[in-house]
Amino acid sequence: MNRRNFIFGLALLTAGSCGSSGPSLERTTLSGGLEVGVPTGWSLRDFSSLEHTTLQATPSSDDNEHGESLLVTRAYRPAQATAPIARIGRWLVDAQRKLPQAAFGHPTPLVTKNGFSGVRVEGEFVPPNKDTAYRRLHAVVVDRDSLVNVIYTAKELDRERFDAIVDSLSREGQ
Amino acid sequence: MKRNLLLTGIIGLLIVFAVSVSRGDNPPIDEVGDSPVDDTTEPITGTAVMPQQGSENPMKDPFTPYDIGGAAAAWNYDDLTDAEKAVVDHGRADDQTAVQAAYAEASMAAADAAKAQSAQIQIGADLLGDGVVP
């Protein structure tokens, strides 16, 4: 290996290690001792009620040319949390029919880095009072007796960011 | 031993006597209704009204159509004018395909919405609406 090839390889290795670190996330706590990472710098709003823990995160309006937004909700669903993943996937796809002009693909099972199992679906819809289609990634992750919904919406999706958010789900102190 | 037998026999005779006396105290039940004392009609003021034989007015069966008064009194389809026939034929002559299709589409949309709502509740996403769309 000559010196030129060595430098090129080192550059590739450096680029690969930067990519594997993923998008920068800040950890925040949901109910039930569950934590999730939201993109750094995004503003957080809490819409939690007695039944649901709901967090909304959006970039500042000046820095949101892709119309990104994130919703993370945790709902107590003991009966549904024990259902097979295939059935949760069917519910997930059926739930998208509520969206106007929706077109979604088949559900895909997933297992997060911390071992939570779930299912995700991707598609697009045209929001009310909008004339452009928005894309959406929606994952449902099983956490003991609860279901966690991670909904990422944007005109152009950053799939790596969504994967990082779903993978960031963990128990406090994990 | 003999004394005991004699005592038992006496007690048995006493029981038989008591039963026969108690049955003979009251007359049989069917004899009560036949007594002339109980055969009384309730008193009324005025005179009882009875319908004339054959002039009774029986209650009409509500599910039986009224008598139109014979075949000559009936209107036949051929007796109608063209305009009247059009009214009678309404719903038969018109093509209802579009109307039925509209109803089918509307009911299918309602069923889809209900199914989606149910699925949202199952996964706990029912309160999120359309989500955030900046």
Side-chain angles (χ1 to χ4, degrees):
Chain A
M1 182 184 290
N2 60 24
R3 188 178 174 188
R4 196 172 169 184
N5 284 345
F6 175 74
I7 293 172
F8 182 65
L10 191 66
L12 277 179
L13 191 66
T14 309
S17 64
C18 287
S20 64
S21 64
S24 169
L25 300 177
E26 294 173 15
R27 301 195 72 75
T28 186
T29 306
L30 289 168
S31 62
L34 197 69
E35 289 186 339
V36 65
V38 295
T40 306
W42 286 25
S43 58
L44 266 179
R45 294 178 70 186
D46 191 340
F47 292 98
S48 299
S49 65
L50 286 175
E51 293 185 356
H52 293 68
T53 303
T54 305
L55 293 177
Q56 172 195 318
T58 48
S60 65
S61 53
D62 300 336
D63 188 25
N64 197 8
E65 59 177 318
H66 296 309
E68 291 176 288
S69 69
L70 175 70
L71 266 177
V72 183
T73 181
R74 184 178 189 273
Y76 178 65
R77 291 286 186 277
Q80 290 80 357
T82 56
I85 288 296
R87 190 178 302 160
I88 297 176
R90 275 204 302 278
W91 290 330
L92 179 58
V93 171
D94 286 342
Q96 311 305 324
R97 295 187 185 188
K98 196 83 175 170
L99 298 170
Q101 301 179 53
F104 278 76
H106 295 290
T108 309
L110 63 91
V111 178
T112 70
K113 276 183 181 171
N114 292 315
F116 294 101
S117 59
V119 61
R120 60 186 271 175
V121 72
E122 180 178 345
E124 67 176 25
F125 68 105
V126 180
N129 306 320
K130 301 272 184 183
D131 47 9
T132 55
Y134 277 64
R135 296 200 63 80
R136 171 166 287 178
L137 279 161
H138 187 161
V140 175
V141 175
V142 180
D143 172 34
R144 293 177 184 167
D145 53 7
S146 299
L147 295 178
V148 180
N149 286 266
V150 181
I151 302 173
Y152 172 54
T153 311
K155 290 175 192 166
E156 288 181 30
L157 292 174
D158 183 345
R159 290 179 182 77
E160 190 183 2
R161 172 173 281 162
F162 177 75
D163 291 342
I165 293 166
V166 173
D167 276 334
S168 72
L169 283 167
S170 63
R171 303 208 182 285
E172 278 179 315
Q174 192 172 21
Chain B
M1 185 69 181
K2 278 185 179 178
R3 197 173 175 182
N4 284 345
L5 281 173
L6 187 63
L7 192 60
T8 308
I10 291 171
I11 291 172
L13 284 172
L14 282 174
I15 291 172
V16 170
F17 176 74
V19 168
S20 64
V21 167
S22 68
R23 281 191 176 178
D25 286 343
N26 298 316
I29 292 173
D30 54 349
E31 290 177 6
V32 173
D34 292 338
S35 71
V37 180
D38 296 330
D39 190 15
T40 54
T41 52
E42 192 170 345
I44 60 170
T45 56
T47 313
V49 176
M50 296 296 289
Q52 205 58 262
Q53 192 73 21
S55 67
E56 297 90 349
N57 195 11
M59 184 178 289
K60 180 189 170 298
D61 178 6
F63 298 105
T64 306
Y66 285 97
D67 184 9
I68 60 171
W75 280 81
N76 294 312
Y77 184 78
D78 295 334
D79 299 332
L80 302 178
T81 64
D82 289 343
E84 290 167 336
K85 284 179 182 174
V87 173
V88 172
D89 291 339
H90 185 71
R92 268 199 295 159
D94 289 357
D95 184 8
Q96 296 289 311
T97 308
V99 175
Q100 298 297 338
Y103 272 107
E105 188 177 341
S107 60
M108 200 179 297
D112 267 353
K115 191 175 181 181
Q117 177 78 21
S118 167
Q120 283 188 335
I121 292 169
Q122 298 281 9
I123 61 173
D126 49 312
L127 299 179
L128 304 180
D130 295 331
V132 188
V133 182

